[in-house]
Amino acid sequence: MARKSSHLKVVKEADVDIIIANMSKSFMECRDWGHSWRAYTVGVDRRNNIFEQTLRCSRCYTHRLRTISGSGNLIKTRYQYKDGYLIPGWGRMSRDDKAILRLAIIREMMMTHGREIEVIEA
């Protein structure tokens, strides 16, 4: 079954499975759970009265660069992704793509931490 992402790129389910199978664990977790931001650097541009703040994801090492005014307003945010994080031609993951990703993470967790996983009987 073909799906559309937010950029109207049609991705076949088999392609999604291949992409996810080749994705690093940290990239998978960040795409599903969101990045785990930590303070990294901060700079001050006194002439323009702005701050340049860099946050770094503790899992995948993506950088989030924020330009902040002297009064604390966010002016601009941009990202620098590690090689392999962005998937050329894919855009954002669709809801169905994320569902496949979540199941892949659960399978990996069960294989890696099987004894620690609590089985809930309904």
Side-chain angles (χ1 to χ4, degrees):
M1 177 168 111
R3 290 182 300 273
K4 292 183 179 183
S5 73
S6 61
H7 295 288
L8 303 178
K9 165 85 172 140
V10 176
V11 180
K12 296 181 182 130
E13 189 166 333
D15 294 338
V16 174
D17 291 336
I18 291 168
I19 290 167
I20 290 171
N22 291 305
M23 194 179 289
S24 75
K25 180 180 174 187
S26 63
F27 289 175
M28 290 172 64
E29 290 171 349
C30 286
R31 284 180 174 275
D32 182 25
W33 306 336
H35 293 288
S36 179
W37 298 117
R38 301 289 182 265
Y40 191 60
T41 65
V42 67
V44 180
D45 179 345
R46 294 187 194 284
R47 187 169 153 223
N48 294 309
N49 194 29
I50 60 172
F51 300 95
E52 294 289 339
Q53 179 188 55
T54 302
L55 308 175
R56 185 174 75 170
C57 176
S58 62
R59 279 191 298 266
C60 75
Y61 304 110
T62 289
H63 287 185
R64 181 180 189 180
L65 302 108
R66 302 185 338 155
T67 303
I68 301 169
S69 73
S71 59
N73 292 308
L74 189 60
I75 297 169
K76 175 172 62 172
T77 300
R78 57 196 187 284
Y79 297 86
Q80 291 177 342
Y81 297 98
K82 287 297 199 183
D83 287 343
Y85 187 86
L86 296 177
I87 302 160
W90 200 14
R92 287 184 168 265
M93 295 181 78
S94 71
R95 175 186 287 169
D96 291 341
D97 296 340
K98 279 202 171 191
I100 294 168
L101 176 66
R102 285 187 198 103
L103 291 175
I105 291 171
I106 288 174
R107 279 192 300 274
E108 191 277 331
M109 287 176 68
M110 292 179 82
M111 289 183 349
T112 305
H113 306 286
R115 293 184 301 249
E116 302 164 21
I117 302 293
E118 178 183 352
V119 176
I120 302 169
E121 300 294 331

